[in-house]
Amino acid sequence: MRTTQSLLVLGCVVVVWVAMGAAASPPVQAGGTYVAFGDSVAAPPDSYVYVLFEFLRTPEGGGLDTLYNRARSNEDSTTLRTNGQLATGIADIDQPSDTKVVTIDIGGNDRYVCGGPSPTWHLLSCAFAANFDLTLADLQEALGRDPGPESLVAMTYYNPASGTGTAQEQDFDRGLLGTDLQLYCAPSGDPRLGLNDQIVCISTSRGVLVADVYPAFKQGGQALMGDSIHPNSQGQAVIAREFRNLFGEPSPPPPPPPPPPADTTAPALQLSGATAQKVLRQRGVFVVAACPAEACKATGKGRVSVRRSAKVFKLTPVTKQISKGGKATLKLKLKRNALRAIRRALKKGKRVGAKVTVTAKDAAGNITTKRRTIRLRR
């Protein structure tokens, strides 16, 4: 699992508890098997997998006696399925043993595959949701061949910058919870859908319990972190504790609260600025855009024309992000040849004007368009 700080390296953990009394690998003995999948969060010898197994070996934890940790560093939801980790683990489950617990932490390295600034897991090009759902289905099918009742538990992931109060912490939160910063179920493509949303929604749809470690790391902050990405021993113990708390629960938790109504309201857009401008001195045209009711992304484009002339000069488009209640000045520049032609026209006394179109787009994709006409002077 990569440790680059600017990329949110997150995952999900799924536990399957099969309360049965079948035997471990020959020779037949009482006990049970624990199979772990994942990336570098689960792979180290001091990870939550081994902390959890110490509990599972006790009578209270079920008296398990065998652990197969198949986790590998750098795995994402695709390579877990294609590089042999999933197949090896399923073969472990299919042995003549009583597989009682299966865990998997995966998904953080999908950030590298999906690309772009957070959030990214909602993008239609991101394969995590489909891979995660298929992996859960494959595990359920394998465990279905193993006799006994089963309980499946999925774990949301922590923010590795918890407690820092930095822009990086905010970026990670958007990656985990989407733009609305809360659990939300929606089809892929909605920016309110983060990695933890995917984990909760897909797991709930399959009757899987959810262990949420996100709040514990928000409370514990950097005291639970060993580096910029991975938990220290205390953080690993917190993860293991969340699993322990869910063993034996009779039914899945209630689904997340219903999503808020879809935002279909176009953003309010206000344009201002001088209606007569000295284009040669400015080397372009200025328009002030404001979004008073919500944050928006404003894009300006336009053209300059000379009265009674077929000549039209394009203004260079410009885009700026505007916070709620804020405003931004959009400068639409002209190329040198256009400025020379406009200078000649103005010198001859011709009327020159610019028509600017500004489009504002909010987080939900709603659009408002307004136009502004500006008379150009020398």
Side-chain angles (χ1 to χ4, degrees), residues 14 46 64 100 107 128 222 294 301 306 313 371:
V14 176
D46 62 346
L64 277 65
K100 292 184 176 179
F128 172 76
Q222 292 303 292
E294 60 180 319
K301 60 182 180 179
V306 179
F313 308 98
R371 295 172 177 81

Side-chain angles (χ1 to χ4, degrees), residues 73-204:
S73 297
N74 301 321
E75 293 276 63
D76 57 42
S77 67
T78 299
T79 61
L80 179 137
R81 298 184 56 80
T82 59
N83 286 358
Q85 182 180 163
L86 181 62
T88 301
I90 288 179
D92 295 331
I93 295 171
D94 285 338
Q95 289 189 43
S97 61
D98 184 1
T99 301
K100 292 184 176 179
V101 177
V102 175
T103 66
I104 173 173
D105 68 81
I106 202 67
N109 287 323
D110 286 69
R111 170 67 173 80
Y112 296 88
V113 179
C114 298
S118 293
T120 57
W121 280 276
H122 71 283
L123 299 176
L124 296 175
S125 59
C126 183
F128 172 76
N131 285 338
F132 183 53
D133 187 57
L134 285 173
T135 299
L136 294 189
D138 289 342
L139 291 174
Q140 287 177 318
E141 181 180 357
L143 289 163
R145 297 189 292 269
D146 202 66
E150 300 165 2
S151 201
L152 189 62
V153 183
M155 190 189 92
T156 61
Y157 223 79
Y158 56 88
N159 182 333
S162 290
T164 62
T166 61
Q168 186 181 44
E169 181 177 7
Q170 298 174 4
D171 184 60
F172 283 149
D173 277 337
R174 287 192 296 271
L176 288 169
L177 298 173
T179 56
D180 63 350
L181 299 179
Q182 62 181 351
L183 291 176
Y184 175 81
C185 292
S188 294
D190 192 317
R192 290 171 288 183
L193 195 63
L195 176 61
N196 280 352
D197 298 306
Q198 300 267 24
I199 295 167
V200 170
C201 299
I202 294 170
S203 299
T204 302

